[in-house]
């Protein structure tokens, strides 16, 4: 079940802002309950360069999983990344963990 799919690259969407509590609450409900798409994943340059240097290419569903983990962390919630075995949850978790120090909280 796809709860919050990524938006198409051509669509523009503001990133969530923790500073305005009403806006965050509305955004959380939009994403979690109404299935409003998450913003496209933008990896920090050091992580992108490391992935490219190692020859690792993230698939679309992996980027979606990382975006989901980034989203739940950004609104100070916990979540689970659940899908079939063998399609890269470990890689997604490692990339999301590597992104965490570079995020403003």
């Amino acid at each position: 079940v796809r709860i919050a799919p990524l938006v198409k690259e051509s669509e523009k969407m503001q990133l969530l802002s923790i500073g305005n509590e009403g806006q965050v609450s509305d955004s959380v409900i939009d994403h979690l309950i109404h299935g409003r798409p998450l913003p496209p994943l933008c990896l920090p340059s050091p992580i992108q360069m490391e992935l490219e240097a190692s020859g690792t290419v993230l698939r679309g569903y992996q980027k979606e999983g990382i975006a989901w983990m980034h989203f739940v962390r950004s609104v100070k919630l916990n979540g689970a990344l659940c899908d079939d075995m063998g399609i890269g949850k470990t890689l997604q978790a490692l990339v999301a963990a590597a992104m965490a120090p570079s995020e403003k909280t």
Side-chain angles (χ1 to χ4, degrees):
V1 173
R2 184 171 295 183
I3 295 177
L6 290 171
V7 296
K8 294 179 184 175
E9 293 294 326
S10 62
E11 294 179 36
K12 293 190 178 181
M13 190 174 192
Q14 291 183 341
L15 296 175
L16 296 175
S17 169
I18 304 275
N20 181 340
E21 293 302 321
Q23 181 182 0
V24 171
S25 177
D26 293 343
S27 295
V28 170
I29 290 171
D30 282 345
H31 293 298
L32 294 177
I33 306 299
H34 303 298
R36 181 175 170 205
L38 294 172
L41 176 67
C42 295
L43 293 174
S45 328
I47 295 173
Q48 185 64 43
M49 289 177 5
E50 189 65 36
L51 289 170
E52 289 172 4
S54 68
T56 303
V57 177
L58 293 172
R59 294 176 175 91
Y61 62 85
Q62 291 171 320
K63 290 179 183 179
E64 192 171 344
I66 297 165
W68 168 252
M69 289 188 279
H70 170 75
F71 167 71
V72 295
R73 183 179 185 281
S74 73
V75 294
K76 303 196 182 328
L77 294 174
N78 294 313
L81 181 61
C82 304
D83 54 26
D84 295 330
M85 290 180 61
I87 62 171
K89 288 181 296 294
T90 301
L91 175 61
Q92 293 171 66
L94 290 172
V95 171
M99 287 176 60
S102 67
E103 297 171 3
K104 295 178 183 178
T105 56

